[in-house]
């Protein structure tokens, strides 16, 4: 009988919590946060990559950031990412690099940007290369207020290779 006396108040407490509705979650991004993220995505990162500024790129990456490039395994950590960027882009004369964030959203200290990119590489002795694609970036707000890229993933808008048949 004692079990039922304790169960009644517990059931009422649980029902009261369920009827209270969802708890208030973190707020949507402020206009200032969205503008700061757009600045990193559309201005800073493209400028830093085009100018081969590895130190500057490192400054917009979280310590344990992850980069998921096309054609390679994922790279984790600032040092590995910078090494991969230097290896793949360091010697290329980038003449155009734009990123257009078509959606920026998030809550609290976590945000994402979805968008498109366009890059052109052209130089003496190198055939002109143009690439277009899309990206997803995840950013985390640091305690001092700066937004850093924690995850990047890019994919090209090129057709899938055809598999030869008989």
């Amino acid at each position: 009988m004692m079990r039922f006396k304790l169960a009644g108040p517990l059931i009422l407490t649980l029902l009261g919590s369920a009827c209270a509705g969802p708890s208030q979650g973190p707020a949507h991004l402020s206009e200032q946060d969205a503008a700061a993220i757009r600045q990193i995505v559309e201005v800073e990162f493209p400028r830093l990559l085009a100018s081969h500024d590895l130190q500057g790129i490192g400054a917009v990456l979280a310590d344990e950031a992850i980069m998921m490039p096309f054609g390679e395994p994922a790279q984790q950590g600032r040092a590995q990412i910078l090494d991969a960027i230097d290896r793949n882009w360091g010697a290329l004369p980038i003449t155009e690099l734009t990123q257009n964030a078509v959606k920026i959203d998030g809550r609290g200290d976590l945000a994402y940007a979805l968008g498109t990119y366009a890059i052109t590489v052209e130089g003496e002795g190198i055939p002109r290369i143009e690439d277009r694609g899309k990206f997803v970036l995840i950013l985390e707000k640091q305690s001092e207020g700066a937004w850093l890229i924690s995850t990047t993933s890019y994919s090209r808008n090129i057709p899938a290779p055809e598999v030869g048949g008989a």
Side-chain angles (χ1 to χ4, degrees):
M1 191 72 128
M2 182 67 90
R3 255 186 293 174
F4 296 116
K5 287 183 182 180
L6 293 175
L10 178 60
I11 289 171
L12 289 175
T13 302
L14 291 174
L15 284 174
S17 296
C19 292
S23 63
Q24 196 75 348
H28 281 280
L29 289 181
S30 69
E31 288 183 25
Q32 294 83 6
D33 283 333
I37 290 168
R38 186 172 301 282
Q39 177 73 18
I40 292 167
V41 171
E42 294 184 346
V43 179
E44 289 180 43
F45 188 78
R47 178 185 57 78
L48 294 166
L49 184 60
S51 65
H52 309 292
D53 183 350
L54 293 177
Q55 184 175 356
I57 293 170
V60 299
L61 295 174
D63 289 337
E64 293 302 316
I66 297 171
M67 179 177 73
M68 296 180 278
F70 31 78
E72 287 188 31
Q75 305 294 314
Q76 184 166 3
R78 185 180 290 131
Q80 276 192 351
I81 292 170
L82 293 176
D83 182 57
I85 289 172
D86 189 36
R87 195 174 57 250
N88 292 316
W89 298 98
L92 295 177
I94 299 171
T95 57
E96 175 203 10
L97 176 56
T98 59
Q99 290 192 152
N100 179 35
V102 296
K103 183 174 184 177
I104 295 173
D105 200 0
R107 300 208 180 7
D109 63 354
L110 191 63
Y112 66 91
L114 307 174
T116 60
Y117 72 86
I119 187 167
T120 303
V121 174
E122 187 172 27
E124 191 173 324
I126 298 173
R128 181 181 173 98
I129 301 168
E130 292 185 0
D131 188 24
R132 306 292 182 260
K134 57 228 162 265
F135 65 85
V136 175
L137 298 177
I138 300 173
L139 299 98
E140 295 177 7
K141 191 172 189 177
Q142 307 302 296
S143 59
E144 75 280 355
W147 285 93
L148 296 180
I149 299 168
S150 65
T151 305
T152 70
S153 182
Y154 289 83
S155 65
R156 293 179 169 143
N157 288 345
I158 58 175
E162 292 185 26
V163 177

